[in-house]
Amino acid sequence: YFAHPEAKYFGVGMIARDQVEDYAQRKGFDVPVMEKWLAPNLGYDPDKPEPATTPGKSSAIAGKDSSSPCGCGLVHA
């Protein structure tokens, strides 16, 4: 790593299933391969089936309202 004393670093949160699927498609890899490589950063258990979604909502936010905490544990408006 190269660092600068005035540099500021931040976390970006956990990766959702739909993000992994999109990334795998764009890179031309199978989803299980991407899940293996990204395992420490996944915000879901790849061995569990994806929950049913509400029509019109993405799988990453299904069943959550705007006051629910995200993967980072904070509540975002």
Side-chain angles (χ1 to χ4, degrees), residues 23-57:
Y23 186 59
Q25 182 182 19
R26 287 185 286 124
K27 292 295 184 178
F29 289 99
D30 292 328
V31 171
V33 171
M34 298 308 297
E35 288 174 333
K36 180 180 176 184
W37 291 347
L38 299 170
N41 300 305
L42 295 178
Y44 64 95
D45 183 350
D47 296 328
K48 291 186 179 179
E50 184 174 2
T53 61
T54 304
K57 290 190 175 187

Side-chain angles (χ1 to χ4, degrees), residues 2-77:
F2 294 98
H4 188 277
E6 296 176 20
K8 306 250 189 255
Y9 299 95
F10 58 92
V12 294
M14 303 304 280
I15 302 170
R17 187 181 306 267
D18 62 323
Q19 292 173 301
V20 174
E21 292 169 353
D22 179 64
Y23 186 59
Q25 182 182 19
R26 287 185 286 124
K27 292 295 184 178
F29 289 99
D30 292 328
V31 171
V33 171
M34 298 308 297
E35 288 174 333
K36 180 180 176 184
W37 291 347
L38 299 170
N41 300 305
L42 295 178
Y44 64 95
D45 183 350
D47 296 328
K48 291 186 179 179
E50 184 174 2
T53 61
T54 304
K57 290 190 175 187
S58 75
S59 60
I61 61 169
K64 292 187 177 184
D65 61 29
S66 61
S67 64
S68 296
C70 75
C72 73
L74 300 176
V75 175
H76 303 281

